[in-house]
Every structure is written in C-alpha cells, then in structure tokens.
Amino acid sequence: MATPEVEERISFELIGVNQDAVFQYRQDGTLDSTVETNLTNEIGVNTNYLTLRQIGSTLSFYSFDSGKFSLIQKNVDTDEVQVYNDFYTNTSARSIVWGTNNDTSVFFGFYNPQGTTNLAIRNITLNTLEGTDLSLEFNINTLYPPLYHNGKLFVTYRTNALEYKISVYETETNVIQQTLSFGNDAPSILIDDNGDLAVFKFSSEANTTLDILDFNTLDRVQEFLPTLSQRFNPGPINAKLIDNKFYYEFEYSQPFSIERGPAIYDLATSTNSIIDLPNLISEVEITNDISINIFSQQYNVKERFFLVSYSEFTNDSQLRGGAMVISDEGKLLENVELNFVPVYFIE
C-alpha cells in the first residue's frame, strides 16, 4: 500500500497513560472519527500494570500485587473482555522473569529452583488455571524477552559458557522443537512479512549477518550481509522487515538531542535512510508552542508510516503527550496532541 497522501487516510490506534488512568485511543481516518476509552474505568486496568502484550487483536495487561499475577484481556476488534484475577501465585520455587501468552495459555519464563539460574517455562492454561513446567537449560547467564508467533515461543538466552541460544518452544504440545546455537554471535530476532524468522547475528568482530529461517523447519532459506554498523539487543527487535526493507530504530551517537529515531535500511541496495526526526520535533514544537520528549516508535505495516510518541514538558503535574505520523520519505503527515502519553501502538 502506498504511503498516505491525505489526512483522511491516516488511521491508527494506541494505548496511553497519564497520572490517573490508562487510555485506548482509536483514530479512523476513513470515517474522520476518534474514540477515546478510559480503560481504568471500563475494565479496571491500573496505571501500574506490569506488562502489555498483543497477540492478534487481543491486548493482555499483566499486573502483580501481593505475590499474585492478574491478567486483563481486551479484543480491540470486538471489545470483548476477559479478566483473570490472581490467576497465579508466585512462590520461592520460581523467580519469574517475563510473561507472555496466546489465546488460551500464559507462558512464564523463570529460574528454578530458588537460588539458581536454571531456566524453565511455566505453561498455564487459562480455562483451568492449571500449569506444567518444562526445563530448558541449567544455570544460564542471561534471559532475554520472548517472541511469540503462530504457536511458537522463541526464547533467547545466554549460557554460563557465554554461548547464545534460542529455544523454540511449541506451545500446543509443551515441547522444545529445537534449540539453535549461535556461539558468541548475539542473535536479535523478528518475524518478517512472509512469516519466517529473521535473525540478525552480531559477532565480536563487529560483523553482521541476517539469516531468514523457515518458520516451520527453521532451515535457512536466505542470507544477507547488511552493512549496518548498529547492533541490537539480543531477543526481539522493535522493527519490521517488509519486501527486503528493514524499518527500525536508529540509535544516534551520544550526546545528542534524541536517542533513537525512525530509519529504513534497504537490503537490496545496502542504503540506510535516516528520518530527520530532530527537524520534525522542531516543527511540532514551534507549530504547537510546546516542548516535547520522544518516548517510543512503531512502524505501521498496514498503512506504511512511522508512529512516534512523545511526552510534553509542562509546568504542572499533568502528563500529556501526543503522536507524530511520519511517512517513509520523512514528511510529517499529522501530529495528534493527547491528554496522556502514548506508550504502545496497537498493530
């Protein structure tokens, strides 16, 4: 789909927070309408929620209080809500590092038993709230955030021997399909537009390789040698890979006025296009007589534009912010000021 040229075509949805509540904001460019929902009042999501995950059209808000995990889910298409209060009680036998889920189960990555770094997964069925454990590795060094897609959970970690690995966990059968070893090369991962696993590998010699692995077999089907000098953290990347173009967060050398901004790397031509975000920030600040701080960004695959959120510097205690809509060419298509700070763009 081509980059939108008129404001009426711009549609997006996001989650935001201020000092009082969590909000869902939906802008429909086709209908020229906006809907703002207070999720704290509507479904009980508090501002101190722990983690937000999205699988398909379902948002999952995790919270933790008095040793127990709770989960509130909302389908953004149907507005259906599911609430699982205190569905899991944490014990000293498990040290929970992260949680994620699909439509039927929650998966916790944890260390077990107490006092060690033995890595395992806890699979909790939401209908019954019963769970099973599966050990992955003994005494690891570091566990990174998970990546879930289409029934598989990709768990990235580093062993005590300083070897990077990704265990591919089949969520329906509760088994490990395969464990991929990368040696000293740190793997950063995402799902590409064909539904395959894209793995950036960064060696200690500053060399970068991009492998495309078949989602089902995990066999390598394509390899690239990008000239990107930037390294990403191990585990999932906040980026998209579409038609051999990599839409990602460029990290500016510090000190600089901002830390990250939108960029596009073309794998076919080895060209890196960095959006002039500082200039767009100045445009927003001057036009609206505000001072802003960039918070997060996401690439909208459906409409093909970048969404960049920000908070406003104010003299009062109110948390306010907004979202900039930026084309692939670096044009500011729209700026939306909000009475809260956008923290997550719904895909």
Side-chain angles (χ1 to χ4, degrees), residues 126-182:
L126 289 172
N127 286 339
T128 64
L129 300 186
E130 296 179 353
T132 57
D133 292 345
L134 179 68
S135 295
L136 299 186
E137 185 98 16
F138 292 105
N139 293 322
I140 71 166
N141 179 278
T142 310
L143 176 62
Y144 301 100
L147 173 64
Y148 175 84
H149 182 72
N150 199 22
K152 293 183 181 180
L153 188 63
F154 298 88
V155 182
T156 306
Y157 58 94
R158 198 180 191 191
T159 70
N160 270 349
L162 303 184
E163 177 183 9
Y164 289 98
K165 292 184 178 182
I166 298 176
S167 285
V168 185
Y169 174 74
E170 295 277 5
T171 60
E172 296 299 323
T173 57
N174 195 36
V175 299
I176 297 297
Q177 175 192 354
Q178 189 175 339
T179 296
L180 307 172
S181 298
F182 297 92

Side-chain angles (χ1 to χ4, degrees), residues 20 26 58 60 103 132 135 148 161 164 210 250 260 275 289 342:
D20 299 316
R26 177 183 299 153
T58 301
S60 296
D103 292 336
T132 57
S135 295
Y148 175 84
Y164 289 98
L210 171 59
F250 174 79
R260 297 178 177 86
I275 303 298
D289 192 24

Side-chain angles (χ1 to χ4, degrees), residues 37-305:
T37 305
N38 186 317
L39 295 180
T40 301
N41 293 338
E42 183 190 57
I43 61 176
V45 178
N46 291 321
T47 56
N48 62 347
Y49 71 85
L50 187 63
T51 303
L52 168 58
R53 305 287 189 191
Q54 180 181 358
I55 300 297
S57 299
T58 301
L59 302 179
S60 296
F61 296 88
Y62 290 85
S63 60
F64 184 74
D65 185 53
S66 301
K68 297 180 180 181
F69 287 94
S70 296
L71 175 64
I72 299 176
Q73 294 184 319
K74 180 179 181 180
N75 187 300
V76 295
D77 290 337
T78 65
D79 289 333
E80 179 183 1
V81 175
Q82 298 285 341
V83 179
Y84 303 93
N85 287 321
D86 300 336
F87 74 93
Y88 178 74
T89 301
N90 197 33
T91 69
S92 59
R94 297 183 183 89
S95 178
I96 304 296
V97 181
W98 49 248
T100 191
N101 60 278
N102 58 19
D103 292 336
T104 59
S105 299
V106 169
F107 313 102
F108 284 132
F110 69 91
Y111 295 143
N112 180 41
Q114 185 180 24
T116 73
T117 54
N118 297 333
L119 174 61
I121 290 179
R122 178 76 171 172
N123 184 332
I124 303 171
T125 303
L126 289 172
N127 286 339
T128 64
L129 300 186
E130 296 179 353
T132 57
D133 292 345
L134 179 68
S135 295
L136 299 186
E137 185 98 16
F138 292 105
N139 293 322
I140 71 166
N141 179 278
T142 310
L143 176 62
Y144 301 100
L147 173 64
Y148 175 84
H149 182 72
N150 199 22
K152 293 183 181 180
L153 188 63
F154 298 88
V155 182
T156 306
Y157 58 94
R158 198 180 191 191
T159 70
N160 270 349
L162 303 184
E163 177 183 9
Y164 289 98
K165 292 184 178 182
I166 298 176
S167 285
V168 185
Y169 174 74
E170 295 277 5
T171 60
E172 296 299 323
T173 57
N174 195 36
V175 299
I176 297 297
Q177 175 192 354
Q178 189 175 339
T179 296
L180 307 172
S181 298
F182 297 92
N184 293 324
D185 295 347
S188 303
I189 58 178
L190 70 155
I191 302 297
D192 71 5
D193 55 338
N194 294 317
D196 291 324
L197 181 68
V199 183
F200 282 89
K201 297 184 297 184
F202 302 98
S203 72
S204 56
E205 292 79 24
N207 296 319
T208 302
T209 303
L210 171 59
D211 289 338
I212 308 298
L213 307 183
D214 181 272
F215 182 79
N216 295 314
T217 66
L218 299 177
D219 294 331
R220 186 171 65 185
V221 295
Q222 203 169 6
E223 181 185 55
F224 297 93
L225 298 174
T227 56
L228 278 174
S229 58
Q230 180 174 327
R231 299 172 69 97
F232 304 98
N233 291 329
I237 314 173
N238 178 26
K240 304 295 180 185
L241 185 55
I242 308 166
D243 296 331
N244 288 339
K245 289 186 177 180
F246 183 54
Y247 301 82
Y248 73 104
E249 290 181 292
F250 174 79
E251 292 186 356
Y252 290 86
S253 298
Q254 298 300 307
F256 195 66
S257 58
I258 58 174
E259 293 185 4
R260 297 178 177 86
I264 306 170
Y265 181 82
D266 192 321
L267 291 165
T269 62
S270 298
T271 55
N272 197 31
S273 302
I274 302 170
I275 303 298
D276 189 359
L277 186 58
N279 182 61
L280 298 180
I281 291 172
S282 297
E283 182 179 340
V284 169
E285 290 181 327
I286 293 171
T287 302
N288 299 279
D289 192 24
I290 57 175
S291 180
I292 65 176
N293 180 54
I294 297 301
F295 187 82
S296 66
Q297 75 170 53
Q298 184 70 43
Y299 189 71
N300 186 303
V301 175
K302 183 178 180 181
E303 299 289 346
R304 297 294 182 93
F305 51 66

